[in-house]
Amino acid sequence: MKYPPSLVALIRELSRLPGIGPKSAQRLAFYLFEQPREDIERLAASLLEAKRELHNCPICFNITDTDVCDVCADPSRAQNLICVVEEPGDVIAIEKSGAYTGLYHVLHGVLSPMNGVTPDKLHLKPLLPRLRDDMEIIMATGTTVEGEATAMYIQRLIEPLGVVVSRIAYGLPAGGALEYADEVTLGRALSGRQRITK
Ligand code: ZN
């Protein structure tokens, strides 16, 4: 039996999502097909609305539905602290910890030359004009090999600009992505950060 073309197309689109293999895509496609039409319309509408309303903050590249994100627009945030993270989800995780009052910079990925992710593929360049020599830059990329390599790369890049660079470490399991750490661990990781510049 051959699958109808519309089912093949749906499975193909779903299997393009990160972490979804062909088997999972097929399972999702059958699941979606079984759902009431209203649910599917709501899902489709929310996808389109999110795509229409959301964009990256032009300063920190966090996801926002306003011109500039809430953090960048808030003058009460510590303007001499920038926390560099991999993904917008990391900002949410750190904000939930309540342990941080500075600014952010979201890279949208980590360096991974094997997978073609070179520095120019990240939102890294726009970090440079944000730096002043009275600043501390906290590298809060994950403790994976790529996260560590990315932190080291950025440290070497920005160190000559006279900023203090620190790295979160305390209490975070090696090989972990930030967004899976609980709030207490994340809070400790931030307050126990260690300076990595001389
Ligand atoms: Zn922002």
Side-chain angles (χ1 to χ4, degrees):
M1 179 216 147
K2 276 212 323 216
Y3 280 3
S6 57
L7 182 58
V8 173
L10 178 57
I11 293 171
R12 189 180 55 228
E13 291 309 313
L14 290 169
S15 66
R16 294 175 56 194
L17 299 173
I20 307 289
K23 276 262 164 59
S24 305
Q26 184 170 312
R27 208 159 43 232
L28 279 171
F30 289 138
Y31 171 82
L32 291 168
F33 172 71
E34 294 296 332
Q35 302 312 302
R37 188 180 174 88
E38 308 88 76
D39 287 11
I40 298 299
E41 280 173 351
R42 207 167 45 237
L43 174 63
S46 68
L47 283 172
L48 288 171
E49 189 186 343
K51 191 64 196 164
R52 193 171 51 235
E53 297 294 328
L54 303 175
H55 58 268
N56 289 334
C57 169
I59 300 170
C60 73
F61 294 88
N62 191 13
I63 289 181
T64 180
D65 60 358
T66 47
D67 286 349
V68 168
C69 81
D70 289 351
V71 174
C72 288
D74 181 355
S76 74
R77 308 280 309 205
Q79 303 290 313
N80 61 341
L81 272 178
I82 297 181
C83 185
V84 178
V85 296
E86 293 176 20
E87 301 292 348
D90 300 332
V91 174
I92 310 261
I94 292 174
E95 286 297 290
K96 271 200 201 144
S97 80
Y100 183 68
T101 56
L103 307 173
Y104 292 96
H105 195 86
V106 186
L107 298 170
H108 289 261
V110 274
L111 291 177
S112 179
M114 298 267 280
N115 298 311
V117 185
T118 46
D120 57 301
K121 298 268 167 47
L122 303 177
H123 290 292
L124 178 54
K125 226 176 171 184
L127 171 66
L128 304 181
R130 300 182 66 192
L131 303 178
R132 295 187 318 262
D133 57 12
D134 64 338
M135 277 182 162
E136 177 185 349
I137 312 305
I138 305 165
M139 299 309 311
T141 50
T143 52
T144 56
V145 173
E146 289 90 353
E148 294 290 359
T150 305
M152 200 180 293
Y153 177 88
I154 298 176
Q155 178 211 335
R156 286 186 185 146
L157 183 73
I158 65 179
E159 212 170 7
L161 303 173
V163 292
V164 168
V165 186
S166 55
R167 175 81 172 116
I168 56 159
Y170 182 78
L172 274 188
L178 212 66
E179 59 179 319
Y180 300 123
D182 67 84
E183 290 153 28
V184 176
T185 308
L186 208 47
R188 281 198 196 128
L190 271 163
S191 54
R193 64 184 182 267
Q194 300 201 339
R195 184 172 167 150
I196 51 179
T197 39
K198 280 149 250 140

